[in-house]
């Protein structure tokens, strides 16, 4: 008994186990610097739009334009990720994201930027990111293999939120130091354009022979429809997609809600606005690192974290001061990143390798593409009724949607009976009957 327990503990991967893989370690280093740049631009761009328009609705519209390509292009992006070598694809798309950022930064520095230019360049940037995301998500499996996949996915989220911890606060400091105007935002946005060079360098120096490439699908018609059919045949994936849809469309509009709370509700400036993003990232980073220690991502964990996020959004709307509002944000970040990171890991681990790019693209289409549906509404609510109403509405929308999706899933009697039957067989000492990529967990 003691020996088996000890061996079980030894086999459990550590929080940073995936960093043992050289290619992933190189890629993660470049990705961390790029993630800091991403949050620099996100904060500076939000401040730029507010400087140009003073409108919460315009800010929500800008975010919608950046994420709308994920709704339109993700199916194509998934086919590309399954058809083109991912390392090659990622190289070109880093340039596709860097160029619009560089142009927007130069226009702002020159003092000639107009809001319509922000809209156009934001859309182009979003298109490149929509094409890049499924390849980036599924490339993780090729770097680390199945053994460290869950850990690597969680560490990617930790890296993203480390960037979120540093980026918004650094952006706020830089914008304030450079005068808090349009000129200042341009230099911060330009820094993000330069950060993509670190990912290009990482892709160049990694060892191609150590990768585990998935089989390419070739030029086959109906590839997107096959991915949709695959997801529809999996009730667990349908529930997962529903959870991230409601979280994306109603809940994850932080650039709108924190900007409005900082400026309109509490009367703060760029530095305090950037600090809110970093404070939230403390909880987000903790959620990602906790997920990195979990070997088996579970569906019920996603549902529970989404409902906690819903409640915390409503609580944050009731906070009376800037300090108390900021104090709740780490818990908001912890709950949302726990849900999102677990969902991402579940997608990667439970999907057939040949379908991984397409399923990841559909996941991103639902997750990121749902934000444009809610961002303008949340921005309008904040402008018309106040930021607190916008926050409360976002939390209630997530809670109601996820609850309805969970009720639907529990009524899918056949999958649940099959899962219970396989579990009972295992407990009686009989070999359980495995289902392909089984992920349903009812314990």
């Amino acid at each position: 008994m003691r020996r088996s327990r000890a061996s079980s503990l030894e086999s459990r991967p550590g929080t940073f186990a995936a960093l043992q893989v050289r290619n992933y370690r190189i890629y993660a280093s470049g990705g961390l610097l790029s993630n800091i740049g991403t949050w620099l631009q996100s904060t500076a761009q939000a401040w730029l739009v507010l400087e140009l328009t003073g409108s919460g609705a315009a800010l929500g519209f800008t975010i919608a334009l950046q994420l709308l390509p994920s709704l339109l292009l993700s199916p194509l992006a998934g086919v590309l990720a399954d058809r083109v070598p991912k390392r090659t694809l990622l190289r070109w798309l880093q340039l596709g994201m860097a160029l619009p950022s560089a142009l927007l930064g130069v226009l702002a520095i020159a003092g000639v930027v107009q809001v319509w230019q922000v809209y156009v360049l934001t859309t182009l940037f979003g298109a490149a990111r929509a094409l890049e995301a499924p390849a980036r998500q599924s490339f993780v499996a090729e770097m680390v293999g199945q053994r460290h996949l869950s850990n690597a996915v969680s560490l990617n989220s930790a890296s993203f939120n480390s960037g979120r911890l540093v980026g918004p606060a650094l952006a706020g400091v830089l914008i304030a130091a450079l005068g808090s105007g349009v000129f200042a935002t341009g230099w911060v946005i330009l820094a993000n354009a330069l950060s993509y060079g670190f990912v290009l360098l990482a892709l160049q120096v990694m060892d191609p022979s150590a990768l585990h490439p998935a089989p390419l699908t070739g030029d086959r018609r109906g590839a997107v429809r096959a991915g949709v059919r695959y997801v529809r045949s999996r009730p667990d994936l349908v529930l997962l997609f529903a959870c991230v849809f409601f979280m994306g469309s109603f809940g994850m509009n932080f650039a709108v809600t924190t900007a409005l709370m900082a400026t309109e509700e509490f009367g703060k400036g760029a530095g305090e606005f950037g600090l809110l993003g970093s404070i939230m990232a403390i909880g987000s980073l903790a959620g990602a690192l906790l997920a990195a220690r979990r070997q088996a991502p579970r569906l019920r964990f996603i549902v529970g974290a989404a409902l906690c996020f819903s409640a915390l959004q409503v609580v944050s709307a009731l906070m009376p001061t800037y300090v108390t509002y900021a104090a709740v944000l780490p818990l908001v970040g912890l709950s949302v990143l726990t849900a999102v990171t677990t969902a991402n890991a579940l997608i990667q681990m439970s999907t057939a390798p040949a379908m991984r790019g397409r399923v990841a693209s559909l996941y991103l289409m639902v997750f990121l593409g749902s934000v444009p549906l809610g961002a303008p509404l949340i921005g309008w609510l904040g402008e018309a009724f106040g930021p607190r109403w916008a926050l409360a509405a976002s939390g209630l929308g997530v809670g109601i949607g996820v609850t309805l999706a969970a009720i639907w899933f529990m009524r899918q009697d056949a999958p649940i009976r099959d899962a219970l039957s396989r579990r009972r067989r295992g407990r009686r000492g009989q070999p359980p009957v495995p289902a392909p990529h089984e992920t349903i967990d009812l314990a």
Side-chain angles (χ1 to χ4, degrees):
M1 177 69 71
R2 290 182 179 177
R3 183 176 300 174
S4 63
R5 184 174 299 174
S7 63
S8 173
L9 290 172
E10 289 173 3
S11 65
R12 183 178 298 171
T15 303
F16 303 100
L19 294 177
Q20 299 170 15
V21 180
R22 178 182 177 273
N23 277 345
Y24 179 74
R25 187 165 62 247
I26 293 171
Y27 182 80
S29 300
L32 175 59
L33 294 172
S34 181
N35 285 331
I36 293 173
T38 296
W39 284 104
L40 285 173
Q41 173 159 340
S42 177
T43 305
Q45 185 172 280
W47 196 256
L48 172 61
V49 172
L50 289 177
E51 284 286 310
L52 293 174
T53 67
S55 168
L59 178 55
F61 185 62
T62 304
I63 295 169
L65 287 176
Q66 183 169 310
L67 296 175
L68 184 61
S70 296
L71 186 62
L72 303 176
L73 298 179
S74 284
L76 171 63
V79 174
L80 285 174
D82 284 336
R83 184 176 296 171
V84 180
K86 297 175 182 61
R87 184 163 166 254
T88 301
L89 189 59
L90 287 170
R91 285 170 169 169
W92 285 105
L93 292 172
Q94 299 308 306
L95 294 174
M97 291 184 289
L99 291 176
S101 296
L103 182 54
L104 180 59
V106 170
L107 289 172
I109 292 169
V112 297
V113 67
Q114 300 179 40
V115 70
W116 70 266
Q117 294 168 333
V118 178
Y119 292 158
V120 171
L121 292 172
T122 292
T123 304
L124 292 175
F125 175 86
R129 190 170 75 167
L131 293 173
E132 183 259 1
R136 171 170 39 85
Q137 298 259 4
S138 51
F139 187 55
V140 175
E142 297 191 3
M143 285 187 287
V144 302
Q146 191 70 19
R147 178 186 176 190
H148 295 307
L149 180 54
S150 177
N151 181 255
V153 169
S154 299
L155 290 181
N156 277 358
S157 294
S159 171
F160 182 74
N161 286 282
S162 296
R164 189 177 189 176
L165 184 64
V166 175
L170 180 59
V173 169
L174 291 175
I175 292 170
L178 293 171
S180 297
V182 169
F183 172 83
T185 64
W187 283 107
V188 178
I189 293 170
L190 190 60
N192 176 53
L194 297 175
S195 74
Y196 292 106
F198 294 108
V199 180
L200 283 169
L201 179 62
L203 291 168
Q204 180 63 35
V205 302
M206 67 174 50
D207 180 9
S209 66
L211 297 175
H212 310 274
L216 301 179
T217 60
D219 188 9
R220 192 176 67 195
R221 293 183 179 180
V224 175
R225 290 194 298 273
V228 174
R229 286 197 300 269
Y230 181 82
V231 172
R232 289 179 61 185
S233 70
R234 297 269 305 273
D236 57 324
L237 291 184
V238 173
L239 175 58
L240 187 154
F241 277 42
C243 288
V244 299
F245 170 80
F246 289 112
M247 292 180 68
S249 58
F250 291 104
M252 299 193 66
N253 293 290
F254 302 123
V256 177
T257 53
T258 57
L260 293 177
M261 288 292 285
T263 57
E264 294 189 12
E265 190 67 29
F266 301 122
K268 302 298 182 179
E272 293 89 347
F273 166 48
L275 184 60
L276 289 178
S278 295
I279 289 172
M280 180 182 289
I282 295 172
S284 300
L285 179 59
L289 291 175
L290 287 173
R293 299 188 64 83
R294 296 178 64 88
Q295 289 181 277
R298 295 178 178 177
L299 193 56
R300 60 173 180 164
F301 205 66
I302 299 169
V303 173
L307 293 176
C308 286
F309 167 63
S310 166
L312 287 166
Q313 279 284 83
V314 176
V315 169
S316 70
L318 303 176
M319 292 296 101
T321 66
Y322 176 86
V323 173
T324 55
Y325 173 70
V328 176
L329 289 184
L331 298 177
V332 174
L334 174 65
S335 59
V336 71
L337 253 292
T338 296
V340 170
T341 303
T342 306
N344 198 345
L346 198 55
I347 287 288
Q348 298 290 332
M349 295 188 68
S350 68
T351 303
M355 301 292 295
R356 191 172 284 140
R358 278 165 286 176
V359 175
S361 72
L362 293 172
Y363 166 77
L364 291 168
M365 181 182 72
V366 171
F367 182 41
L368 297 178
S370 62
V371 177
L373 301 178
L377 174 62
I378 298 300
W380 175 79
L381 284 172
E383 191 171 325
F385 301 100
R388 296 185 185 278
W389 283 101
L391 267 176
S394 71
L396 291 173
V398 173
I400 293 170
V402 170
T403 300
L404 292 175
I407 291 172
W408 169 86
F409 176 75
M410 293 303 295
R411 290 181 176 177
Q412 305 303 298
D413 292 336
I416 291 174
R417 280 200 304 268
D418 290 345
L420 290 173
S421 176
R422 284 189 292 272
R423 177 164 295 179
R424 282 194 296 267
R425 286 170 60 87
R427 286 172 178 170
R428 287 197 299 263
Q430 303 172 9
V433 180
H437 314 294
E438 180 185 1
T439 57
I440 296 174
D441 183 82
L442 302 174

